[in-house]
Amino acid sequence: MSQLPQSLINSLQGIEGFDETAFRQVHQSDEQVTSIRVNPNKTPVVNGRLGIGIHSLSSIHYSPVPWTDYGYYLSQRPSFTFDPLFHAGSYYVQEASSMFLEQALKQTVNLLQPLKVLDLCAAPGGKSTHIQSLINNESLLVSNEVIKTRANILIQNITKWGANNILVTNNDPQHFSRMEGFFDVLVVDAPCSGSGLFRRDEEAINEWSEDAVMLCYGRQKRILADALASLKEDGVLIYSTCSYSKQEDEDIMDWLVQEMGMENVQLKVETEWNIVVTQTIHAEGYRFYPYKLKGEGFFIACFRKKEASDSGKQRMVKPNSATAKEEDIIKPWLKQADLSFIHFREEIIALPSLLLQNFLLVNGTMNLLYAGMPLGQIMKDKLVPNHALALSIILSDEIKATELSYEQAIKYLQRADLALETKTAGWQPVSFHKHNLGWINALKNRINNYYPKDLRILKQTNNAASRN
Ligand code: SAM
């Protein structure tokens, strides 16, 4: 591992929980902590146990991450690329400390209420998929990423998650002033200098500098100042970084209270979690050190907005609803639910009807890339289904999948030719351990593999040394 920057070590002296010897040791050791968070829509957790064995993980011992209902540490790191259930969205590979977001949400908002949540810096989607698992079906998650290429990765992960109450936007934080007073919860998992990830990412060590910390500190303030307008009065802000630097953590916390009029909200942390409570005279936040718990470096703090917000600056576009005939074509593919069907970006999408109004507001105001559940296009009075629909939780149980063996599943995910017997002809999902992977079209004398080209596994073989 590269040398830890001495200026970082010097700057951390005296910070709550910092221990130079332990910090150096944990960065020198080869220990890797691997954790996943399961998708409760697909992989039920029953009495604290996974409802199914995760395929390639079946020989692996797993133990729960203490601050979440959905997280598990794995005793070794498998090649996730060669686990079909990884591609089915049955779980998300996520660093354990970040899963503490669950406590922040559970302890500050009533998750039984219909909520509007903005995840402002969302790619690749770790926090967004987690938030989706915690909010109810009447709640809306707007998952935003300013960098276009990263927004595409975010969409891929949201698609795998299978829910239909997420909108993905591609906007700069300052555009959210147009959504004044709209959100109940604002999550800002800010771009930061990244010292918390040094154990995983050597590059982060080489890129770290005191100037980078100051640059991030300035950017974090700008992002927050821009986005806070979109929060309602009494709305909750959850701020997090993967940096140990005081400027990006405690100083931002103080600035939010002193300059932005936010009220700090304290969380209850169990002593055995070994999370360090960090206090200034204005606020309290939570530090995660890898030598104190099983997870990477992380910081989180919660606030409530006390200022009144104006509302009503959003522009609403009229919905381009599907026709009755189109609805008749679509409905047999879907579970019974109160859904609205709208034309959006050359596709028909399905949205919970309760969220239609909010979709129209966001669509009229922001750069909306992905919304609800893309169902596909209607051609010659038939639905040509979108990949997302195969992975969706609203796909009808009547749309029977052809179950694949492990070898077939990998071939399918490589977008290779498949020799398969199917019970029926035409469009159908293929599944592995009953988790859908995507579509095939079974013709008279061949099977067409419709796994999206840009998602296919490029590696030919799973050698034990390969990492995801
Ligand atoms: N929340 C994500 C997750 O859990 O998977 C990780 C977010 S990462 C720490 C920070 C994100 O902020 C990156 O996706 C990055 O592209 C984005 N970002 C970079 N500069 C930004 C800016 N000026 N405003 C808003 N977001 C920015």
Side-chain angles (χ1 to χ4, degrees):
M1 163 171 285
S2 306
Q3 214 41 51
L4 290 170
Q6 188 55 45
S7 49
L8 170 69
I9 304 277
N10 294 345
S11 71
L12 299 182
Q13 303 293 350
I15 286 183
E16 200 65 51
F18 180 68
D19 173 340
E20 180 176 343
T21 312
F23 190 81
R24 286 191 184 281
Q25 261 170 12
V26 85
H27 284 89
Q28 270 153 17
S29 89
D30 282 341
E31 187 210 30
Q32 283 273 346
V33 180
T34 301
S35 45
I36 59 166
R37 185 172 38 72
V38 297
N39 183 348
N41 284 324
K42 301 193 178 195
T43 310
V45 179
V46 183
N47 297 331
R49 307 271 317 166
L50 295 184
I52 60 151
I54 288 181
H55 171 68
S56 70
L57 315 184
S58 53
S59 61
I60 293 173
H61 183 74
Y62 58 88
S63 50
V65 176
W67 40 83
T68 158
D69 289 340
Y70 307 115
Y72 293 88
Y73 296 110
L74 308 184
S75 55
Q76 33 173 303
R77 190 179 175 94
S79 168
F80 291 110
T81 304
F82 284 91
D83 182 11
L85 296 184
F86 169 73
H87 302 277
S90 311
Y91 61 90
Y92 188 95
V93 182
Q94 190 181 30
E95 185 288 298
S97 302
S98 318
M99 299 181 199
F100 187 79
L101 173 69
E102 183 167 324
Q103 291 298 325
L105 273 170
K106 281 182 172 167
Q107 294 189 35
T108 58
V109 287
N110 180 356
L111 292 164
L112 300 173
Q113 292 285 321
L115 296 170
K116 285 178 275 181
V117 182
L118 170 60
D119 184 9
L120 185 67
C121 311
K127 308 275 181 317
S128 280
T129 51
H130 196 177
I131 295 165
Q132 197 286 324
S133 302
L134 296 167
I135 58 177
N136 60 41
N137 295 337
E138 293 175 21
S139 295
L140 176 75
L141 170 62
V142 175
S143 193
N144 178 70
E145 172 56 45
V146 65
I147 298 172
K148 183 71 197 293
T149 47
R150 290 179 58 83
N152 292 336
I153 299 163
L154 174 63
I155 288 173
Q156 287 171 9
N157 284 323
I158 299 280
T159 301
K160 287 203 278 184
W161 213 243
N164 66 343
N165 56 347
I166 306 181
L167 308 179
V168 178
T169 55
N170 172 220
N171 282 94
D172 190 276
Q174 62 184 346
H175 299 159
F176 281 92
S177 62
R178 302 178 205 147
M179 301 292 299
E180 204 167 349
F182 187 78
F183 293 102
D184 301 285
V185 181
L186 167 61
V187 175
V188 178
D189 186 30
C192 69
S193 60
S195 46
L197 297 182
F198 279 1
R199 288 207 304 173
R200 305 200 137 190
D201 183 4
E202 286 257 1
E203 233 357 77
I205 303 185
N206 303 329
E207 282 167 14
W208 191 91
S209 68
E210 286 172 289
D211 284 351
V213 170
M214 291 317 290
L215 200 96
C216 289
Y217 169 64
R219 191 197 288 146
Q220 285 148 0
K221 287 202 287 190
R222 262 196 322 278
I223 291 174
L224 287 162
D226 285 339
L228 275 175
S230 68
L231 199 57
K232 275 183 192 159
E233 182 175 358
D234 284 328
V236 168
L237 164 70
I238 300 175
Y239 173 76
S240 61
T241 72
C242 54
S243 163
Y244 297 110
S245 293
K246 176 175 160 288
Q247 291 91 331
E248 299 174 76
D249 298 344
E250 284 84 353
D251 289 358
I252 290 282
M253 200 161 81
D254 284 351
W255 172 82
L256 280 165
V257 173
Q258 285 188 291
E259 306 288 325
M260 305 307 289
M262 300 294 285
E263 181 184 279
N264 180 231
V265 183
Q266 300 186 352
L267 303 179
K268 186 173 175 296
V269 290
E270 303 293 338
T271 320
E272 59 270 25
W273 292 349
N274 286 327
I275 295 165
V276 172
V277 179
T278 170
Q279 278 165 334
T280 67
I281 47 170
H282 302 290
E284 173 174 304
Y286 309 92
R287 283 182 164 263
F288 296 67
Y289 291 101
Y291 48 85
K292 284 191 172 280
L293 45 78
K294 274 177 82 179
E296 301 308 311
F298 184 63
F299 168 84
I300 194 163
C302 303
F303 304 86
R304 200 174 294 282
K305 181 169 173 176
K306 293 323 290 173
E307 260 173 32
S309 294
D310 290 339
S311 57
K313 275 197 190 154
Q314 302 97 39
R315 223 166 55 87
M316 175 125 67
V317 285
K318 270 186 75 178
N320 180 1
S321 301
T323 62
K325 186 175 167 194
E326 287 170 332
E327 285 201 16
D328 286 344
I329 296 169
I330 292 163
K331 279 186 173 159
W333 293 74
L334 302 175
K335 283 187 180 138
Q336 288 293 324
D338 192 5
L339 296 169
S340 294
F341 303 104
I342 314 286
H343 286 267
F344 175 72
R345 292 186 173 244
E346 294 159 24
E347 298 255 333
I348 299 180
I349 60 161
L351 280 163
S353 295
L354 280 169
L355 302 183
L356 179 62
Q357 191 82 351
N358 290 327
F359 157 78
L360 296 173
L361 287 174
V362 176
N363 193 24
T365 314
M366 309 304 286
N367 182 26
L368 185 60
L369 299 183
Y370 178 99
M373 183 50 58
L375 303 176
Q377 295 181 337
I378 293 182
M379 288 178 184
K380 294 187 188 155
D381 291 342
K382 285 197 172 127
L383 181 71
V384 177
N386 187 303
H387 175 65
L389 180 60
L391 278 74
S392 155
I393 55 171
I394 58 169
L395 182 69
S396 166
D397 295 333
E398 299 305 313
I399 308 287
K400 301 284 182 220
T402 295
E403 178 75 5
L404 303 181
S405 68
Y406 176 74
E407 286 70 24
Q408 287 169 330
I410 295 299
K411 272 195 150 188
Y412 175 73
L413 295 166
Q414 288 169 329
R415 213 168 187 268
D417 288 339
L418 287 177
L420 264 187
E421 294 282 323
T422 62
K423 286 196 185 117
T424 51
W427 286 98
Q428 55 198 283
V430 285
S431 62
F432 180 71
H433 281 231
K434 300 228 161 27
H435 288 215
N436 286 356
L437 300 173
W439 297 105
I440 55 167
N441 194 358
L443 306 176
K444 260 204 191 110
N445 44 15
R446 67 165 202 281
I447 303 283
N448 283 346
N449 182 341
Y450 278 92
Y451 195 65
K453 214 172 174 181
D454 51 344
L455 298 184
R456 73 193 190 281
I457 301 179
L458 294 169
K459 280 193 269 184
Q460 285 309 304
T461 51
N462 175 15
N463 69 58
S466 69
R467 284 251 169 110
N468 175 45

